[in-house]
Amino acid sequence: MCGIVGAIAQRNIVPILLEGLQRLEYRGYDSAGLVVVSEGQLTRMRSTGRVAELSNISADIQGTIGIAHTRWATHGVPSERNAHPHMSRDLIAVVHNGIIENYEAIRTRLVAGGYEFASDTDTEVIAHLIHSHYVNGKTLLGATQAALTELVGAYAIGVIASDNPDQLICARRGSPLLMGIGIGENFFASDVSALLPVTNKVVYLEDGDVVEMGRQSYRIRDAAGEIVARPVQFSEISNESVQLGNYRHYMQKEIHEQPRAIADTLESVSNSHSIVPGIFGAEAAACFADIDSILILACGTSYHAGLVARYWLEEIAGIQCTVEIASEYRYRTSVANPRALVVVLSQSGETADTQAALSHAKSLGHVHTLAICNVPESALVRQSKLRFLTRAGPEIGVASTKAFTTQLVALFLLTLVLAKLRGRLTAEVEQLHLHSLRHLPAATQKVLDLEPQIAKLAEQFACKRHALFLGRGLHYPIALEGALKLKEISYIHAEAYPAGELKHGPLALVDKDMPVISVAPNDMLLEKLKSNLHEVRARGGELYVFADAGTHIREEEGVHIMQMPEHAGFLSPILHTIPLQLLAYYVALQKGTDVDKPRNLAKSVTVE
Ligand code: M6R
């Protein structure tokens, strides 16, 4: 949830740390701080609020070695005293992303040993623990390794000492961390985007790795303390892809990137005459031949993608599918079917609950696992037997947009592969689906053209306090996703219901002040949906209907129509998502919220 970055160089690294933090701010943004070693002393600056505040107060600091942090509070309120880096007796400084579960016991012991705590964080115990080993004669590396053996929980940390200006230590277990290699300088960060201005030569660290970095060299030790070589890679993420360009917000940019993101995700099939299991990994054919059901595990928006897939998988592939919220599944005593394919869905691949759910599934005897993920080398990808990488590119806005639509594309491909293997897809129908998929980027672009109308519509929402989203069948999860987007960035309370469920309770909420947003595809449930909409109108509810061409829902008093293109069949949920993303975006603009960094949230939820 937090972002960390560190650098050791022959030049002043403060601008590098600040730029890195700016790029990691999506991971947490309630406070930030940095520390450098200069003239044998630790010089630390911290501030609440955004990295920009930290930049303002750090102009006069210089150093050639330092670490920095942007925070999403877990232990202790957002405040300067709880902001990282945390220090021990002006000798050791630490930044940390993750959670130390046994920090209370360690803290009690350290207090008894004479350590004074200056914050409410779990992280501060790491600084004092390292200090206690360091002053007892261990090297900085040895002291860090000794401290890490005492920690229970997840961490990615960076460590420096005031009397050791030539060594930077970093380590990870359970939280993402990579190194960047420069010429005469080295770096670490939670995410490659933080390092792109200085290098694209990176090493993804494994769980348990501890790294000693100097300016000219580095050494990685694994969990057993053995020196290991990890592959050096050249990140393909371009510096431009993480820049805002001409857009006002990352969310807007990412909504507009969807035609390209979908096209890239479809690359493996767009020039092919058929869909093959191999796109999910070399072992996919054997694995898919052995499965009799699907279990999808995910959180938030990714969970909504799973809910859409359930309709596809059962109807098109005829395979039974269950979708579970990862944070619930991980603690549920469920009956495992070892012949089920466990599919974990995640933009980041680092979501703690989804990782724990995957581990739980494996512990219950599940052997077939597939990660559909947007981040190569992420934990979920590494921990799954099969993988499909969506090609959305870096998603910076906290509200997930292009990651969702590309997940849907991947899940549709999975559906077609399984349908084919199960003898439920004729060659002719396969070609029809392939044709629709190839047309999807253009169809997406057509929906994006509705942007000016949706921006206008959003003006009517700024004064609303609640909203209801309706959908049916395949589009019920799209209503859920629309409601999540709206509440997440505009702070308007929004709920979603399958439209047929209205009369079982939620209709009581409907009055003239309750906008009701409905997804209205021209599908077999259209007439049922129309009846539900009449029920709303009869109670004075104001209707906003995203209707496909040919639905014949008329614009009239209290009924506002957004005209969508012609119905896109099974791919319709992908298209109907886009106007709801735009609606949430423009309502948030009206309300003046911080679109890319909504309050209380962070992009990657790497803590429980
Ligand atoms: O990285 P993941 O897809 O695993 O993240 C899951 C959720 O935290 C995420 O989708 C969240 O709900 C988004 N902020 C919603 O826009």
Side-chain angles (χ1 to χ4, degrees), residues 298-304 345-352 354 372-373 380 395 397-401 403 407 481 484-485 488-489 598 601-605:
C299 301
T301 288
S302 297
Y303 169 71
H304 295 155
L345 295 178
S346 176
Q347 187 285 127
S348 61
E350 302 289 346
T351 302
T354 313
I372 294 179
C373 188
L380 282 170
E395 195 181 62
V398 165
S400 189
T401 52
Q407 280 172 346
E481 176 58 9
L484 177 61
K485 287 288 92 88
E488 186 176 24
I489 59 167
L601 300 179
K603 182 71 182 163
S604 304
V605 188

Side-chain angles (χ1 to χ4, degrees), residues 437-499:
L437 282 169
R438 287 188 198 111
H439 179 65
L440 191 58
T444 310
Q445 186 56 56
K446 210 164 161 193
V447 181
L448 283 169
D449 294 343
L450 290 174
E451 184 170 15
Q453 290 168 61
I454 295 174
K456 190 98 196 72
L457 184 76
E459 291 168 12
Q460 299 179 37
F461 282 75
C463 57
K464 301 292 181 191
R465 300 195 53 217
H466 307 275
L468 205 56
F469 284 72
L470 301 179
R472 288 203 76 137
L474 201 50
H475 294 80
Y476 163 52
I478 301 308
L480 284 169
E481 176 58 9
L484 177 61
K485 287 288 92 88
L486 189 70
K487 60 187 142 195
E488 186 176 24
I489 59 167
S490 78
Y491 315 150
I492 292 175
H493 170 229
E495 297 293 336
Y497 281 92

Side-chain angles (χ1 to χ4, degrees), residues 524-587:
M524 58 177 280
L525 287 169
L526 178 64
E527 291 311 315
K528 305 274 175 209
L529 178 76
K530 281 181 177 171
S531 308
N532 303 140
L533 299 186
H534 284 305
E535 291 161 12
V536 170
R537 212 35 224 132
R539 272 94 191 158
E542 192 90 0
L543 279 169
Y544 298 84
V545 187
F546 292 85
D548 283 355
T551 52
H552 304 298
I553 304 174
R554 277 203 325 276
E555 176 107 25
E556 55 188 75
E557 200 195 333
V559 183
H560 312 269
I561 306 290
M562 283 288 112
Q563 200 61 65
M564 296 282 291
E566 64 281 1
H567 182 53
F570 281 115
L571 297 178
S572 169
I574 299 177
L575 299 185
H576 270 277
T577 300
I578 290 162
L580 302 188
Q581 295 170 343
L582 286 168
L583 179 68
Y585 174 72
Y586 280 99
V587 174

Side-chain angles (χ1 to χ4, degrees), residues 248-567:
R248 196 162 160 192
H249 295 97
Y250 280 104
M251 183 182 181
Q252 188 191 26
K253 174 178 184 243
E254 287 156 8
I255 290 172
H256 280 272
E257 282 173 343
Q258 288 177 109
R260 195 270 310 143
I262 290 171
D264 287 355
T265 301
L266 282 169
E267 201 182 21
S268 56
V269 293
S270 50
N271 294 322
S272 154
H273 293 297
S274 69
I275 300 174
V276 293
I279 59 175
F280 293 94
E283 296 170 67
C287 169
F288 292 168
D290 191 44
I291 60 165
D292 66 2
S293 59
I294 308 279
L295 169 62
I296 298 179
L297 304 171
C299 301
T301 288
S302 297
Y303 169 71
H304 295 155
L307 290 178
V308 174
R310 183 175 60 172
Y311 288 88
W312 286 335
L313 286 160
E314 298 210 341
E315 187 170 342
I316 303 171
I319 189 162
Q320 189 264 330
C321 176
T322 314
V323 191
E324 296 223 25
I325 291 178
S327 56
E328 285 297 306
Y329 173 81
R330 63 183 287 191
Y331 292 117
R332 202 166 76 75
T333 309
S334 49
V335 179
N337 168 11
R339 291 196 59 205
L341 172 67
V342 177
V343 182
V344 281
L345 295 178
S346 176
Q347 187 285 127
S348 61
E350 302 289 346
T351 302
D353 283 319
T354 313
Q355 281 193 59
L358 177 61
S359 304
H360 182 62
K362 287 184 188 170
S363 75
L364 293 177
H366 284 286
V367 287
H368 301 305
T369 54
L370 163 66
I372 294 179
C373 188
N374 195 39
V375 180
E377 300 302 328
S378 59
L380 282 170
V381 170
R382 289 200 304 264
Q383 288 156 16
S384 302
K385 201 151 90 179
L386 306 179
R387 62 186 58 181
F388 185 99
L389 293 176
T390 50
R391 304 263 307 274
E395 195 181 62
I396 311 280
V398 165
S400 189
T401 52
K402 60 179 179 171
F404 177 69
T405 44
T406 53
Q407 280 172 346
L408 289 178
V409 167
L411 288 162
F412 194 70
L413 293 176
L414 177 67
T415 304
L416 296 184
V417 166
L418 293 177
K420 201 165 153 184
L421 290 174
R422 297 164 72 83
R424 292 178 60 108
L425 193 68
T426 62
E428 199 185 346
V429 176
E430 181 183 6
Q431 291 314 310
L432 289 176
H433 284 309
L434 278 172
H435 176 78
S436 311
L437 282 169
R438 287 188 198 111
H439 179 65
L440 191 58
T444 310
Q445 186 56 56
K446 210 164 161 193
V447 181
L448 283 169
D449 294 343
L450 290 174
E451 184 170 15
Q453 290 168 61
I454 295 174
K456 190 98 196 72
L457 184 76
E459 291 168 12
Q460 299 179 37
F461 282 75
C463 57
K464 301 292 181 191
R465 300 195 53 217
H466 307 275
L468 205 56
F469 284 72
L470 301 179
R472 288 203 76 137
L474 201 50
H475 294 80
Y476 163 52
I478 301 308
L480 284 169
E481 176 58 9
L484 177 61
K485 287 288 92 88
L486 189 70
K487 60 187 142 195
E488 186 176 24
I489 59 167
S490 78
Y491 315 150
I492 292 175
H493 170 229
E495 297 293 336
Y497 281 92
E501 188 66 9
L502 263 191
K503 53 190 169 298
H504 299 290
L507 202 53
L509 293 170
V510 172
D511 63 14
K512 63 177 181 18
D513 296 322
M514 173 68 91
V516 179
I517 299 117
S518 177
V519 181
N522 193 2
D523 63 9
M524 58 177 280
L525 287 169
L526 178 64
E527 291 311 315
K528 305 274 175 209
L529 178 76
K530 281 181 177 171
S531 308
N532 303 140
L533 299 186
H534 284 305
E535 291 161 12
V536 170
R537 212 35 224 132
R539 272 94 191 158
E542 192 90 0
L543 279 169
Y544 298 84
V545 187
F546 292 85
D548 283 355
T551 52
H552 304 298
I553 304 174
R554 277 203 325 276
E555 176 107 25
E556 55 188 75
E557 200 195 333
V559 183
H560 312 269
I561 306 290
M562 283 288 112
Q563 200 61 65
M564 296 282 291
E566 64 281 1
H567 182 53

Side-chain angles (χ1 to χ4, degrees), residues 213-275:
M213 266 181 225
R215 291 175 178 82
Q216 305 290 350
S217 63
Y218 65 89
R219 205 152 38 191
I220 305 175
R221 287 184 165 77
D222 66 11
E226 300 296 327
I227 294 177
V228 285
R230 301 277 180 232
V232 176
Q233 305 182 19
F234 288 88
S235 172
E236 285 174 12
I237 297 174
S238 69
N239 201 17
E240 294 70 50
S241 69
V242 292
Q243 303 286 316
L244 197 47
N246 291 330
Y247 291 96
R248 196 162 160 192
H249 295 97
Y250 280 104
M251 183 182 181
Q252 188 191 26
K253 174 178 184 243
E254 287 156 8
I255 290 172
H256 280 272
E257 282 173 343
Q258 288 177 109
R260 195 270 310 143
I262 290 171
D264 287 355
T265 301
L266 282 169
E267 201 182 21
S268 56
V269 293
S270 50
N271 294 322
S272 154
H273 293 297
S274 69
I275 300 174

